């Protein structure tokens, strides 16, 4: 065949050959590395089927669909004889071998018939005929694939070994080494497999176009080491796999599909390796050596799952503990802690569970350092666990406290309190927090920790808002805080006074909070009353009144007993506030609801009286005396049995006296004396009544009152003065008998002071004169004279006057007696009597003169002169003896004149002396009468007619 012909045939075949060439360069897949075995062998699908590194053009599919594989092969066979260039001939033969491989592979896939012998023979001939050909590495690569597809493992391995040894720079070298390692591993030649995988790992990364070779090499290296019992080194190989597949924190499900099965198997063999070593200790040591890894938790997790699957619970717990110990701040630490608890429960090791739960609360609770740095997701997880664990632990200790005694019981209560409080601190807004706080309060109560109990109960009652009706637990807690405070108060007496008072105020605030927050709670009635008592004891009366009004206004209304107590507190407070009218009304209201048998009724009545009494006092202080009197008297109207009534009526009498309402005062005081004979002020009434009686001119009654005073007088001077006034009043009353008795009692008892004694004597003399008791009258007249006579130096003008007056009275009596004696025959006898009477009268008047009181001295002078003149006249007028002759009668009369004349002269002299007082300015009745007498006795001198000299003024 000539060259032109060949050229034309080549031109016709080249397009077909080119398309066939490209289509025949498809990748040939290898069978699974592991066809089976126990759990220590790589599982089917562990390694993804490795693809040829030869590129497959995208256009191949289209070309191949237009030209069949057989047509391509026929074209190459037809072409081969036409080629003269040996290089081209080898290339076509190589291509024909590849196409044969492709055909046989397709047939094997489609019909499971092995027709690979032709391809193997073609590859072997090429190698035999062209051993030094540069492209033999490709031939060896394809031949190895053919052996693999036919299951000729020895030939497969030998071919790959030749490839790597003779073609170290081949692009198939890395893959060939990996496939060698696979084959060596399958043949249990683990050391050689290890070496093969190491060469892949150590190869220049530029030669590893497919990253999966490195991942799988590390993986299979680990398995090779595992099979040799070098478990620790195997673990590091697995670590390398994980470093490549999971460079960031992720779960297995997020790993690429090509590695997912591998990962599952890797975690399993990882766990198996640890099981052959020291388990959790080895695991912890491995990561301590490698440093923290993003997938570390997956290793721990899968290993623990493996142990749990094998029911190696203690070992699984060790794994969790080692992780927590190594990574205490990891988000997984609390989760593993909970897995420990779950594992213990699964294993039935329940005795350790409470301590583990307590440790969780301690390590991850709100007061621990962990939670402060936890991320939101972990914090939420911890919160979910604490939400269950804390109440469980708290309730457990609370129950145990009730089942134990003494110190052990208290320890459980304390621990329960810690957990209840921890829940409240951790979940301040949780729906169960009020319940936990309430239980916290009850726990503190059991421990007698009153301040803590009170705080817990108050938080339940007042720190959680509600709308509408308050929650039942809130009210219960509020009242529980009140009861706790009550018990707490029993410990205060040993506190300093200031501290005690502070505590008491805190307790009062607690009561008020309960009453204000839960006004409709039936127990608030009692608490409100106690709060009122406290305010009353502290003297905060305004608050008491407000609280009392609040109590009275409660619906339903409180019972009679509490209303009574409330009314008393309100009334007492109003009284202390000076709101006496309101206090009165409140006392009245309280008495209406108070039981008749209540022993306090008398005291309440006294308080009622006091409220009216104070109203009276207020009016008096304001100057409304009349109003005050009315109020004082009203005490007896509103509280007739009150002991204060007496004081009120007494004060009313006092004010009536001030008002000069004497008769009203008398009426009140008389009634007072009758009603309260034993009153402490009863002795003051006589003086007041005496005054009122005097002002109303009821003298005798006034005197009677003063007589009463005499017995009550504490000093002699007081008695004397009272007796003196009484005597005067009786005298003014015209009660002569009482006056005489009183004056006589005074005069006989009190000779001093002398001047008063003289007055008493004077009054007695006058009174006796009134009743005609002359003997007694003269007695007291003389007593007056004796007083002056015996005490001349002490006598003042009044005393001398009284003495002179008394003397004058007696002298007048003597004068009257003298005047009453007539001179009768026998004259010598009657004259003797007359003369004696004259002497007595003159002496009496001389006595009067001796006191030096002019008015009585002039009388005495006149009367003495009169006495003498009278005697002269009486002599001349006396009877004449019968039977016298005229001469004898004349001589007798002459004799009488001689006897009478001296008396007349004496009378004239005395009258002149008395009249001479006019020169000293004394010209009273008696001086004038002396002048008149002288006119008769000495008419020539004293009875001259008066000559009137008229003076005429002439006015020129």
């Amino acid at each position: 065949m000539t060259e032109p012909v060949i050229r034309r045939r080549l031109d016709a075949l080249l397009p077909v050959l080119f398309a066939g060439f490209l289509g025949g360069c498809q990748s040939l897949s290898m069978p699974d590395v592991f066809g089976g075995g126990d759990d220590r062998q790589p599982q089917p699908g562990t390694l993804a089927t490795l693809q040829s590194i030869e590129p497959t053009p995208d256009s191949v599919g289209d070309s191949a669909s237009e030209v069949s594989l057989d047509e391509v092969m026929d074209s190459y066979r037809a072409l081969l004889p036409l080629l003269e260039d040996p290089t081209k001939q080898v290339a076509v033969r190589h291509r024909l071998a590849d196409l044969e491989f492709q055909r046989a592979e397709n047939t094997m896939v489609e019909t499971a018939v092995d027709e690979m012998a032709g391809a193997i023979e073609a590859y072997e001939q090429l190698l035999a005929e062209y051993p030094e050909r540069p492209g033999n590495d490709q031939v060896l690569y394809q031949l190895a694939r053919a052996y693999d597809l036919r299951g000729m493992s020895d030939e497969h391995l030998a071919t790959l070994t030749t490839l790597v040894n003779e073609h170290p720079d081949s692009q198939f070298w890395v893959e060939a080494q990996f496939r060698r390692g696979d084959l060596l591993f399958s043949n249990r030649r683990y050391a050689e497999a290890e070496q093969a995988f190491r060469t892949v790992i150590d190869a220049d990364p530029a030669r590893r176009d497919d990253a999966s070779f490195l991942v799988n090499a590390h993986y299979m290296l680990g398995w090779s080491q595992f099979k040799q019992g070098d478990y620790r080194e195997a673990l590091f190989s697995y670590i390398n796999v994980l470093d490549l597949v999971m460079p960031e924190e992720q779960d297995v499900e997020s790993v690429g599909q090509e590695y997912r099965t591998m990962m599952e198997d890797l975690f399993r063999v990882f766990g198996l390796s640890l099981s052959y070593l020291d388990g959790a200790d080895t695991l912890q040591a491995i990561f301590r050596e490698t440093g923290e890894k993003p997938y570390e938790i997956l290793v721990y997790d899968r290993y623990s799952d493996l142990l749990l699957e094998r029911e190696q619970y203690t070992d699984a717990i060790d794994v969790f503990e080692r992780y927590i110990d190594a990574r205490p701040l990891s988000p997984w630490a609390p989760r593993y802690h909970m897995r420990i608890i779950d594992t213990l429960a699964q294993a039935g090791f329940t005795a350790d569970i409470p301590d583990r739960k307590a440790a969780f609360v301690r390590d991850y609770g709100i007061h621990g350092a962990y939670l402060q740095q936890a991320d939101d997701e972990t914090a939420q997880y911890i919160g979910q666990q604490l939400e269950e664990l804390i109440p469980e632990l708290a309730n457990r200790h609370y129950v145990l406290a009730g089942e134990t005694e003494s110190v052990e019981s208290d320890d459980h209560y304390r621990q329960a309190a810690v957990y209840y409080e921890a829940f409240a601190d951790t979940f301040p807004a949780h729906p169960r927090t009020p319940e936990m706080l309430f239980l916290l309060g009850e726990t503190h109560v059991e421990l007698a920790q009153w301040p803590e109990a009170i705080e817990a109960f108050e938080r339940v009652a007042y720190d959680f808002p509600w709308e509408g009706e308050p929650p039942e637990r809130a009210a219960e807690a509020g009242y529980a805080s009140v009861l706790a405070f009550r018990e707490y108060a029993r410990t205060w007496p040993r506190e300093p006074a200031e501290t005690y008072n502070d505590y008491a105020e805190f307790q009062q605030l607690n009561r008020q909070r309960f009453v204000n927050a839960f006004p409709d709670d039936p127990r608030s009635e009692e608490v409100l009353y106690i709060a009122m008592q406290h305010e009353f004891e502290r003297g905060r009366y305004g608050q008491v009144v407000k609280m009392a009004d609040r109590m009275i206004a409660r619906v339903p209304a409180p019972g009679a007993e509490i209303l009574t107590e409330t009314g008393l507190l309100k009334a007492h407070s109003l009284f202390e506030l000076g709101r006496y009218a309101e206090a009165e009304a409140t006392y009245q209201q309280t008495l209406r609801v108070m039981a008749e048998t209540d022993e306090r009724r008398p005291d309440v009545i006294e308080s009622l009286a006091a409220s009216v009494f104070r109203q009276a006092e207020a009016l008096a202080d304001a100057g409304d005396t009349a109003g005050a009197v009315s109020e004082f008297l009203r005490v007896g109207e509103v509280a007739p049995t009150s002991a204060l009534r007496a004081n009120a009526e007494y004060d009313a009498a006092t004010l009536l006296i001030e008002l000069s309402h004497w008769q009203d005062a008398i009426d009140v005081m008389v009634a007072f004396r009758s009603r309260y004979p034993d009153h402490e002020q009863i002795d003051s009434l006589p003086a007041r009544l005496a005054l009122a009686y005097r002002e109303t001119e009821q003298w005798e009654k006034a005197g009677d009152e003063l007589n009463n005073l005499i017995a009550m007088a504490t000093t002699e001077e007081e008695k004397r003065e009272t007796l003196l006034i009484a005597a005067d009043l009786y005298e003014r009353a015209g009660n002569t008998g009482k006056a005489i008795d009183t004056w006589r009692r005074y005069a006989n008892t009190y000779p001093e002071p002398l001047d008063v004694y003289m007055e008493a004597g004077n009054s007695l003399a006058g009174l006796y004169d009134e009743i005609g008791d002359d003997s007694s009258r003269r007695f007291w007249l003389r007593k007056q004279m004796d007083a002056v006579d015996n005490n001349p130096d002490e006598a003042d003008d009044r005393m001398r006057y009284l003495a002179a007056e008394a003397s004058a009275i007696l002298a007048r009596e003597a004068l009257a007696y003298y005047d009453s004696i007539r001179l009768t025959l026998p004259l010598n006898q009657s004259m003797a009597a007359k003369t004696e009477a004259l002497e007595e009268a003159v002496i009496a008047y001389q006595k009067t003169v001796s006191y030096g009181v002019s008015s009585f001295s002039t009388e005495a002078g006149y009367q003495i002169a009169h006495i003498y003149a009278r005697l002269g006249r009486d002599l001349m007028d006396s009877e004449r003896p019968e039977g016298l002759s005229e001469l004898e009668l004349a001589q007798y009369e002459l004799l009488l004149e001689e006897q009478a004349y001296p008396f007349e002269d004496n009378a004239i002299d005395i009258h002149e002396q008395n009249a001479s007082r006019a020169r000293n300015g004394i010209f009273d009745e008696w001086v004038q009468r002396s002048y008149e007498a002288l006119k008769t006795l000495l008419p020539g001198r004293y009875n001259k007619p008066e000559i009137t000299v008229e003076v005429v003024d002439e006015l020129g």
Side-chain angles (χ1 to χ4, degrees), residues 310-327:
R310 294 181 174 183
E311 298 184 355
Q312 294 177 242
Y313 301 115
T314 302
D315 292 339
I317 290 171
D318 287 343
V319 171
F320 297 138
E321 288 180 334
R322 293 304 181 278
Y323 180 84
I324 295 171
D325 179 63
R327 306 285 183 257

Side-chain angles (χ1 to χ4, degrees), residues 6 108 112 189 251 275 339 406 464 622 628 680 737 832 838 879:
I6 294 174
M108 186 176 291
R189 296 162 61 181
D251 53 30
S275 298
R339 290 200 65 183
S406 189
F464 297 90
E680 61 180 3
L838 179 147
E879 292 181 353

